[in-house]
Amino acid sequence: QVQLSESGGGSVQAGGSLRLSCVPTIYSDRKFTMGWFRQAPGKKREGIAHIDSDGTTDYADSVKGRFTIFRDKDKNTVHLQMNNLDLDDSGKYYCAAEADIPTIATMRHLGLSAVDFASRGQGTQVSVSS
């Protein structure tokens, strides 16, 4: 099991940057894949960035080239660096983790994303204005 705590949301103008952070508290030795998903009013939840314990990453097309997910060297805290933000990036962002998906390859094979992960944080709001 894992508990997740997010931080780093806020308001920014279009074209700006934000960094979200997620600190996991993990109660097992199992490998976890972690990721971020977001939800905006009237839109479906969208898994946008993922990283497994080996450091392999995966991105949704909507954020590829603009967002980067990475871990601290201690391999615990996971960050989402968001650059060149636009109005469509506004929403609530959630950190998520899944022990039953140990690798990105497994996640892709199963057709899943962070939206489907069992553990998630409380979310942090990102607001992008023109």
Side-chain angles (χ1 to χ4, degrees), residues 44-116:
K44 288 179 59 177
R45 289 179 295 176
E46 179 188 20
I48 55 173
H50 310 83
I51 186 168
D52 65 20
S53 59
D54 295 326
T56 302
T57 58
D58 180 87
Y59 298 94
D61 289 342
S62 59
V63 306
K64 202 171 291 183
R66 300 187 298 123
F67 291 11
T68 302
I69 187 170
F70 62 98
R71 293 178 183 267
D72 279 349
K73 289 183 179 179
D74 64 5
K75 295 191 177 181
N76 284 334
T77 303
V78 172
H79 304 281
L80 183 66
Q81 177 66 40
M82 306 186 294
N83 297 329
N84 194 22
L85 286 160
D86 61 38
L87 300 181
D88 288 340
D89 293 317
S90 293
K92 196 162 187 180
Y93 284 66
Y94 297 84
C95 179
E98 179 58 67
D100 289 334
I101 302 176
T103 66
I104 294 296
T106 301
M107 186 188 75
R108 289 171 175 164
H109 176 72
L110 295 173
L112 300 176
S113 79
V115 172
D116 306 295

